[in-house]
Amino acid sequence: MGKVHDYIMSKINSGEKLHFTLIDPEKVKDVIKLEETSEKMVEAGTDAFLIGGSLGIIHEEADLVAQVLKKRGKPVIIFPGNVNCLTRYADAALFMVLMNSLESYYLMQIQVIAAPIVAKYGLETLPTGYIVIDQDTAVAHIGRTHPIPRNKPEIVLAYAMAAQMLGLKYIYLEAGSGAQQPVPPEFPQIVKKHTDLVVIVGGGIRSPDVARKIAEAGADIIVTGTIVEKDPELATKIIKAIKEVKSG
Ligand code: 1GP
């Protein structure tokens, strides 16, 4: 596929668990602070930066944040809430379908709108099935998602199987930024066991213990956003815990 995908796969194939640092450009008010925090995450071992958010991001903010993060020497990947998050200064974009949305906009229209822009910017695309678990989060509201029962991992697996059959390479199991509870470990576990997809898990991960459990259950990549913003020291401990887990 492309350089960023190869970088991710070479780490996963060598048994490493990955951590991605999510930065919401709308919440960045101080570039110096972003430089310091992002450097701290790189020193702790984060593998890439995601840029995205559900509301209020303007194009210039996405450009600026991508340019600052590029200096850290790790891949910068757009995690788009919408086309306003696209920036030519990133390396790649999660090219996503919000699989459990009830809106045709998120199922296929946004991809059609985005595709020519992504091509113009020359961004690598990482084809991703995106599933939002909980309801009381911004992403669930904006994406108008159909909730997934927490006690039904087999439903998540059915989505993941469909993603694989459609040719997608990544599945992102999302509790939602700032979610009360993270995704149950049974979700990455069942998906990892029965598919070849790269499993990304994020939302509501605020402790090293929780991150370790989700990585041990089968997540290949763990995303943290809120904790990086609120308590960068704790975020470094989460990264350390993830890096202590080796797969297979
Ligand atoms: C949200 O999965 C990410 O899309 C990260 O969530 O902000 O809760 O870490 P948090």
Side-chain angles (χ1 to χ4, degrees):
M1 281 168 56
K3 267 165 60 179
V4 175
H5 179 69
D6 291 348
Y7 164 84
I8 293 169
M9 291 316 296
S10 73
K11 284 185 174 252
I12 290 174
N13 291 335
S14 68
E16 210 179 312
K17 297 289 181 178
L18 282 70
H19 174 269
F20 285 4
T21 299
L22 172 65
I23 305 289
D24 181 343
E26 208 271 325
K27 294 189 179 136
V28 173
K29 302 296 171 216
D30 178 348
V31 170
I32 306 286
K33 196 171 159 223
L34 176 64
E35 284 178 339
E36 286 169 6
T37 309
S38 55
E39 189 53 39
K40 199 179 258 233
M41 295 308 119
V42 169
E43 282 165 13
T46 199
D47 299 285
F49 291 99
L50 292 183
I51 299 181
S54 295
L55 269 182
I57 297 169
I58 58 170
H59 192 68
E60 290 78 1
E61 291 168 340
D63 277 352
L64 175 67
V65 166
Q67 284 171 290
V68 170
L69 295 177
K70 277 283 272 193
K71 294 190 211 144
R72 304 282 87 82
K74 297 286 174 187
V76 175
I77 304 167
I78 303 161
F79 172 36
N82 213 317
V83 282
N84 54 329
C85 301
L86 296 177
T87 162
R88 66 172 73 249
Y89 300 104
D91 299 293
L94 297 183
F95 203 80
M96 305 197 295
V97 52
L98 178 44
M99 297 183 79
N100 63 323
S101 178
L102 300 171
E103 288 291 345
S104 60
Y105 180 77
Y106 289 105
L107 292 170
M108 196 38 66
Q109 196 177 3
I110 182 72
Q111 295 80 354
V112 173
I113 295 166
I117 303 171
V118 168
K120 262 191 198 165
Y121 286 169
L123 296 167
E124 178 182 340
T125 48
L126 306 174
T128 304
Y130 188 46
I131 308 173
V132 174
I133 310 302
D134 288 311
Q135 279 306 284
D136 56 348
T137 58
V139 65
H141 180 81
I142 302 290
R144 210 177 151 226
T145 54
H146 187 48
I148 310 251
R150 287 186 157 262
N151 60 348
K152 292 275 182 259
E154 63 273 25
I155 294 181
V156 170
L157 175 60
Y159 276 96
M161 288 166 70
Q164 180 159 308
M165 289 173 191
L166 284 164
L168 305 179
K169 301 286 180 237
Y170 296 78
I171 192 97
Y172 193 141
L173 309 177
E174 172 75 275
S177 190
Q180 304 275 346
Q181 286 177 281
V183 162
E186 293 75 21
F187 287 9
Q189 188 173 36
I190 196 166
V191 173
K192 193 67 197 165
K193 189 164 173 211
H194 297 286
T195 74
D196 300 322
L197 297 163
V198 174
V199 181
I200 310 173
V201 177
I205 299 172
R206 289 184 280 268
S207 81
D209 251 13
V210 166
R212 188 181 297 110
K213 280 198 185 87
I214 291 171
E216 282 171 351
D220 298 297
I221 301 171
I222 289 184
V223 180
T224 58
T226 306
I227 203 72
V228 174
E229 195 191 310
K230 298 222 162 114
D231 189 347
E233 262 334 299
L234 183 53
T236 65
K237 293 189 180 116
I238 290 174
I239 297 172
K240 196 163 166 274
I242 293 166
K243 291 294 170 186
E244 281 165 6
V245 180
K246 300 284 170 213
S247 69

